[in-house]
Amino acid sequence: MMTNLIKMEWYKLRTSKLFLILVIVTFVLNGLFIGSLPMISSAMGAQMTAVDLSSILSSPFALGLLMIPVFISAASFLYLDFSGGYIKNIAGQLSDRGSLVFAKFLMIGVHNLIFFVAAAVSAVLASAVTSGIIMDEAIGGGVLTLLLKWLLSLSLCAVLMFFAVGLRNKTLAIIMAVVFSTGSLSLLYMGINTGISALFKVDNIDVGNY
């Protein structure tokens, strides 16, 4: 049963037009931005040097805002069953609905990995064409950092799953997706830190660490 669920989730993912479009958009925008860096550097009077491959792999997205398509696509995919009425049909046939949640979350891992690979490939190609790439000795560390960021994206998607699947609210899920992508949480933490410092007369408090 689990194998069939995973196959169904994979089918829904690879046939999702929104997913395919956003992957292509991320690939193109990421490559264009990185490809424009030499021109920006030249306009500022700086000379663009070759980039270490490890640095590209550790930070495949040229801009944090390019994570917006990743999380919006994830939120939409998580809510797909409810929008199409599919959940009513399949849920009644499962003795353990946790299997469906596990299969969906596993596919979100695949979903995010595809976005990360697309960003990394576009970054490598754009850098190779414009500035050149250095095959440095820290490539393994770059790959490890990439995997850690991928795992972090999964933890954020768990929150999106709570809104999209648990509360069945796609709008809130997409809002949270934008919040995660734009780093708005850091602004919220800053406000909370300021409030706590003023209320309790303490310094160097950072709720973001907790």
Side-chain angles (χ1 to χ4, degrees):
M1 178 61 74
M2 177 58 69
T3 302
N4 291 334
L5 286 175
I6 293 175
K7 288 181 178 179
M8 285 190 291
E9 293 299 326
W10 168 241
Y11 174 79
K12 286 185 290 184
L13 179 63
R14 65 185 176 85
T15 56
S16 171
K17 293 182 180 179
L18 179 63
F19 165 70
L20 295 175
I21 290 173
L22 290 180
V23 168
I24 294 173
V25 168
T26 301
F27 180 90
V28 173
L29 291 181
N30 199 54
L32 287 176
F33 182 81
I34 293 178
S36 66
L37 289 179
M39 291 185 292
I40 296 175
S41 299
S42 178
M44 297 176 63
Q47 184 176 0
M48 191 71 179
T49 59
V51 184
D52 291 338
L53 180 58
S54 61
S55 65
I56 297 176
L57 295 176
S58 61
S59 299
F61 294 92
L63 289 172
L65 291 177
L66 289 176
M67 288 298 294
I68 292 179
V70 180
F71 289 125
I72 287 182
S73 176
S76 299
F77 175 71
L78 288 168
Y79 190 76
L80 186 62
D81 292 342
F82 297 102
S83 61
Y86 168 81
I87 191 67
K88 296 180 179 179
N89 298 324
I90 190 63
Q93 303 175 22
L94 295 175
S95 57
D96 180 16
R97 295 187 181 183
S99 300
L100 180 60
V101 175
F102 177 79
K104 187 171 292 293
F105 191 72
L106 183 65
M107 200 49 55
I108 280 294
V110 175
H111 165 280
N112 289 8
L113 185 61
I114 291 174
F115 269 98
F116 272 74
V117 171
V121 171
S122 69
V124 169
L125 291 177
S127 297
V129 171
T130 56
S131 59
I133 295 177
I134 298 176
M135 303 292 289
D136 58 310
E137 298 179 353
I139 295 178
V143 173
L144 180 59
T145 303
L146 178 67
L147 291 177
L148 290 175
K149 290 185 176 181
W150 169 69
L151 290 174
L152 176 60
S153 73
L154 286 183
S155 66
L156 296 178
C157 283
V159 179
L160 298 183
M161 178 176 280
F162 169 74
F163 288 102
V165 179
L167 300 182
R168 302 184 183 183
N169 194 317
K170 182 180 179 180
T171 301
L172 278 177
I174 290 180
I175 290 174
M176 291 305 299
V178 175
V179 168
F180 291 152
S181 306
T182 56
S184 300
L185 285 179
S186 60
L187 297 177
L188 176 62
Y189 289 151
M190 187 181 300
I192 295 176
N193 293 338
T194 302
I196 293 177
S197 297
L199 181 63
F200 296 100
K201 307 300 180 181
V202 293
D203 298 323
N204 300 323
I205 183 70
D206 187 359
V207 295
N209 294 330
Y210 305 95

